[in-house]
Amino acid sequence: MPGDDETVARTKGAAVAPVDEARSEGGFPSALSRGLSLVFAIACGAAVANVYFAQPLLVTIGHDLRMSPALVGGVVTLTQAGYGLGLFLLVPLGDMADRRRLVVTQLLFLVLALAVVATARTAVILLLGVAATGLLAVVTQTLVAFAASLAPPAERGRVVGLVTSGVVTGILVARTVSGLVADLAGWRAVYLASATLTALLALVLSRVLPRHDVPRPALTRYGPLLRSTVTFFLKERLPRSRALFCLLIFAAFSTLWSSVALPLSEPPYRWSHSAIGALGLIGVSGALAATVAGRLNDRGLARWTTGTALALLAISWVPLAFTRSSLWALAAGIVLLDLAVQAVHVTNQTLIHALYPEAGSRLIGGYMVFYAIGSATGALCATSLYAVAGWGAVCALGAAFSCLGLALWVFGGDAATDSVAKPRSRDSV
């Protein structure tokens, strides 16, 4: 595996070709204003919310369309699978096409996908609609890479943390709003409202996002663009280890959030959709963790942040195991889990983007494929396991994913982190 600077520089030629970005006069990417950073965060949150709307609604959707519990679990799984496919096929286009135009186009197609879900009358149409929704919701990661490319290296962790806090907030609001709207107007109204909001968002972003009119001569064909993403992760140790962390933490995250509605909708709780959705607000600490983790990364504490967060993730499953007897235990587990997942996630993205700032879309897109794999795995395993073995087995599964991530960190899977002190120069690409 490449370890020293000379080897890393050699492998880069095969892994990624340079991509021009909007530059400031000093040669670094143009800095984001605070207002524009906030716009990026809001846009990311609104887009990613579409991936999580269904989680508190699974029981109602299943009853409405007469779907079996296993098939209902496929709603979450196919959404995540579509997201994973979009990460590999669509997000890298940000290194080849105008990102502003790409973002707006994806949002308009996302409006159509949401309309399909809202009007679905059969399970097949619904599943096709949620898969397309996941595919197009990857506009979130195009925006993350866009924001990171505009941030100077010394502030990249802060910017990624701020934008990721928008993503976390979007996920939390998605669960709360979807539960509330479903109780008031039915689950279809959730997707109709989102389609309207997404159309408005496309209009706003078409006006406020910076233009990228600089030519990109290095990669003008789609095939080489995708191959460069794969080659990068094959050649570089750090993105491989960070991608594995990503897979495991989001498998644990999805294990909780794709199945927690099931015990809460049963005796002794019998919670409504809005009550189950409001649970996500307890995890607001995750948004705080995103911003704090970004600042810790800017101070060179990435490895320490990762280890601490992974330990907290493993511990979180102890109180979560007592969900059926104590809501306080459930709340404590949610806080620990969300905080830990977001801290590792921000650290991962900051480190990976630092390797090749000029190929940010491919790097973030490739990394997030592992997010989708982990999320889909956790959702499918958790819902299936709950049906046959109950909540205790689900918690054991989440703890297994978490402890595996911690073991990877303890036994040196994160060693390459220490070699990433600064971004690579264009000359080494």
Side-chain angles (χ1 to χ4, degrees), residues 315-333:
I315 292 170
S316 71
W317 291 99
V318 175
L320 287 171
F322 294 93
T323 292
R324 286 193 177 277
S325 59
S326 171
L327 292 177
W328 287 108
L330 173 62

Side-chain angles (χ1 to χ4, degrees), residues 238-246 306 347-348 351 367 414 417:
L238 178 117
R240 282 202 307 275
S241 65
R242 285 288 159 176
L244 187 53
F245 283 138
C246 176
T306 303
T347 302
N348 290 347
L351 290 173
Y367 161 79
D414 197 30
T417 297

Side-chain angles (χ1 to χ4, degrees), residues 35-392:
L36 187 55
S37 297
L38 187 59
V39 169
F40 272 104
I42 293 171
C44 285
V48 79
N50 293 293
V51 180
Y52 294 91
F53 280 142
Q55 289 185 357
L57 311 177
L58 293 178
V59 174
T60 296
I61 291 174
H63 288 163
D64 187 24
L65 299 180
R66 295 175 180 166
M67 300 167 67
S68 68
L71 195 57
V72 170
V75 172
V76 175
T77 302
L78 280 177
T79 304
Q80 296 292 351
Y83 199 83
L85 192 62
L87 290 167
F88 183 71
L89 297 179
L90 298 183
V91 176
L93 290 173
D95 290 336
M96 188 174 90
D98 179 86
R99 285 176 178 166
R100 176 174 166 271
R101 184 177 301 173
L102 182 63
V103 165
V104 173
T105 301
Q106 286 184 10
L107 287 172
L108 293 176
F109 278 108
L110 181 56
V111 171
L112 296 177
L114 290 167
V116 169
V117 175
T119 57
R121 297 296 170 184
T122 66
V124 172
I125 298 299
L126 175 78
L127 293 174
L128 289 174
V130 296
T133 297
L135 178 76
L136 294 160
V138 297
V139 67
T140 301
Q141 300 309 319
T142 302
L143 286 164
V144 171
F146 199 169
S149 72
L150 295 172
E155 297 181 13
R156 187 167 291 123
R158 179 187 63 81
V159 170
V160 172
L162 176 61
V163 175
T164 302
S165 72
V167 176
V168 177
T169 303
I171 294 171
L172 299 175
V173 169
R175 295 190 180 95
T176 304
V177 170
S178 65
L180 179 61
V181 173
D183 280 342
L184 294 175
W187 70 267
R188 297 179 188 276
V190 175
Y191 291 93
L192 287 174
S194 182
T196 303
L197 177 61
T198 303
L200 180 61
L201 185 63
L203 176 62
V204 171
L205 292 180
S206 69
R207 296 178 178 274
V208 303
L209 289 182
R211 295 178 181 271
H212 272 234
D213 296 327
V214 180
R216 289 181 167 82
L219 281 175
T220 58
R221 291 185 299 166
Y222 188 55
L225 186 79
L226 297 185
R227 284 197 297 272
S228 71
T229 305
V230 175
T231 304
F232 180 87
F233 281 86
L234 289 175
K235 297 288 186 181
E236 295 276 10
R237 180 181 180 184
L238 178 117
R240 282 202 307 275
S241 65
R242 285 288 159 176
L244 187 53
F245 283 138
C246 176
L247 188 154
L248 292 170
I249 64 171
F250 279 104
F253 182 85
S254 186
T255 294
L256 172 66
W257 287 112
S258 64
S259 61
V260 71
L262 300 173
L264 293 178
S265 63
E266 299 172 352
Y269 298 118
R270 297 186 184 278
W271 280 14
S272 66
H273 297 116
S274 54
I276 293 173
L279 253 187
L281 295 180
I282 298 174
V284 71
S285 55
L288 174 63
T291 55
V292 173
R295 294 182 185 278
L296 288 173
N297 280 297
D298 288 338
R299 293 169 56 190
L301 298 173
R303 182 168 169 77
W304 179 89
T305 302
T306 303
T308 302
L310 288 170
L312 291 176
L313 182 62
I315 292 170
S316 71
W317 291 99
V318 175
L320 287 171
F322 294 93
T323 292
R324 286 193 177 277
S325 59
S326 171
L327 292 177
W328 287 108
L330 173 62
I334 288 173
V335 169
L336 288 174
L337 183 139
D338 278 10
L339 187 151
V341 167
Q342 298 309 325
V344 178
H345 185 42
V346 170
T347 302
N348 290 347
Q349 291 182 95
T350 303
L351 290 173
I352 289 177
H353 193 281
L355 282 176
Y356 285 111
E358 296 169 344
S361 290
R362 279 166 281 167
L363 303 188
I364 296 298
Y367 161 79
M368 287 297 293
V369 167
F370 292 86
Y371 152 85
I373 294 172
S375 295
T377 301
L380 181 61
C381 293
T383 52
S384 301
L385 194 58
Y386 184 85
V388 298
W391 181 248

